């Protein structure tokens, strides 16, 4: 998984194309991510107590990781993620500015 929670991403397809937002959660197995305020779906919440009304709340639905690009925190550009092995450790780097991210 090249992207992780807290990363800023640029949406490159779908109705939210062109927006940038933060990853709330990455679903590693499914190769999907939840992005803050992006791909919102309405979720019906059942009343917790008797006499309460059910609610409809907007929640982000999982989206394909291929629909986003990482925004590099160093150079601020949407970039591909690369890896560099250094002292036996795998570090994530920005392909544009080569910074460790
Ligand atoms: Zn960069």
């Amino acid at each position: 998984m090249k992207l992780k929670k807290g990363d800023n991403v640029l949406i490159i397809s779908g109705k939210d194309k062109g927006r940038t937002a933060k990853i709330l959660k990455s679903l590693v197995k499914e190769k999907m991510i939840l992005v803050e305020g992006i791909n919102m779906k309405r979720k019906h919440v059942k009343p917790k107590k008797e006499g309460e009304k059910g609610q409809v709340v907007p929640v982000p639905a999982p989206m394909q990781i291929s629909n986003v690009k990482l925004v590099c925190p160093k150079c601020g550009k949407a970039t591909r993620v690369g890896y560099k092995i250094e002292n036996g450790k795998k570090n994530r780097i920005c392909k544009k500015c080569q910074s460790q991210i």
Side-chain angles (χ1 to χ4, degrees):
M1 199 76 163
K2 288 186 170 179
L3 302 174
K4 58 181 198 280
K5 186 181 165 184
D7 282 344
N8 265 311
V9 290
L10 172 71
I11 316 302
I12 54 170
S13 74
K15 64 178 161 70
D16 295 308
K17 189 175 172 180
R19 292 176 61 191
T20 55
K22 203 201 277 179
I23 296 181
L24 294 176
K25 198 175 181 184
S26 62
L27 310 166
V28 178
K29 233 198 284 174
E30 294 89 344
K31 291 205 169 76
M32 307 273 273
I33 48 170
L34 288 177
V35 188
E36 198 171 33
I38 303 293
N39 199 27
M40 301 301 277
K41 292 268 151 60
R42 288 203 189 118
K43 191 184 171 191
H44 293 263
V45 180
K46 282 185 185 161
K48 289 188 188 85
K49 286 183 221 152
E50 217 173 311
E52 264 184 12
K53 275 186 183 166
Q55 282 182 43
V56 180
V57 291
V59 290
M63 59 191 289
Q64 296 284 342
I65 202 163
S66 57
N67 289 343
V68 304
K69 261 184 145 178
L70 181 72
V71 177
C72 171
K74 296 274 163 61
C75 65
K77 288 178 184 147
T79 184
R80 296 226 326 257
V81 176
Y83 289 102
K84 202 159 91 180
I85 313 279
E86 224 170 345
N87 304 323
K89 262 182 80 182
K90 198 169 160 189
N91 293 318
R92 217 165 58 143
I93 58 159
C94 165
K95 289 235 181 174
K96 292 241 164 89
C97 67
Q98 307 298 317
S99 298
Q100 192 179 315
I101 49 175

